[in-house]
Amino acid sequence: RWPSPTLQELEVTVTDARMCNNSRFWHGGIGPTMICFQGQHRGSAPAEGPLPGVIPAQGDSGSPLVCGKRPAVAGVMSFTSRNATDPFKPPVAISTVKNKKWIQETLR
């Protein structure tokens, strides 16, 4: 059943922004407040959906990107390629760290 009623988890690696912006990837479309990443499904929940256990898919926008030994939200999933199997279009999140001031002002 999609979407899954079970919280899913990916272990991800951040991709260098310069590499993500080169002509083989997002062609300069990644701004300084964006985070490119790649990952694999992990955990006990079964991978479900259009691409089982590979990468975030459409519908994952708004999901948190959490990191650190003391988990903290580092970003929010923004977009991925329409062709989620394209290795040259890694998923992109918006940095909550680089937008912290705007987030705090907006929440007031």
Side-chain angles (χ1 to χ4, degrees):
R1 192 173 72 182
W2 189 253
S4 173
T6 306
L7 181 63
Q8 303 293 303
E9 178 180 0
L10 293 176
E11 187 165 320
V12 301
T13 302
V14 173
T15 304
D16 181 75
R18 289 172 294 176
M19 184 175 86
C20 197
N21 256 328
N22 80 29
S23 61
R24 291 183 67 190
F25 289 81
W26 287 109
H27 306 280
I30 304 304
T33 63
M34 297 178 178
I35 304 167
C36 289
F37 62 94
Q38 295 178 324
Q40 292 293 320
H41 174 80
R42 71 174 222 178
S44 59
E48 301 176 29
L51 279 176
V54 181
I55 59 173
Q58 292 175 346
D60 287 335
S61 293
S63 299
L65 177 62
V66 178
C67 68
K69 290 182 180 182
R70 296 183 67 198
V73 176
V76 177
M77 176 65 185
S78 183
F79 63 91
T80 190
S81 173
R82 288 186 183 182
N83 176 4
T85 61
D86 185 347
F88 298 108
K89 300 288 187 197
V92 178
I94 301 300
S95 170
T96 53
V97 175
K98 292 182 180 177
N99 288 292
K100 183 178 179 178
K101 184 178 179 181
W102 177 85
I103 292 168
Q104 289 174 331
E105 290 172 358
T106 302
L107 291 175
R108 286 189 187 135

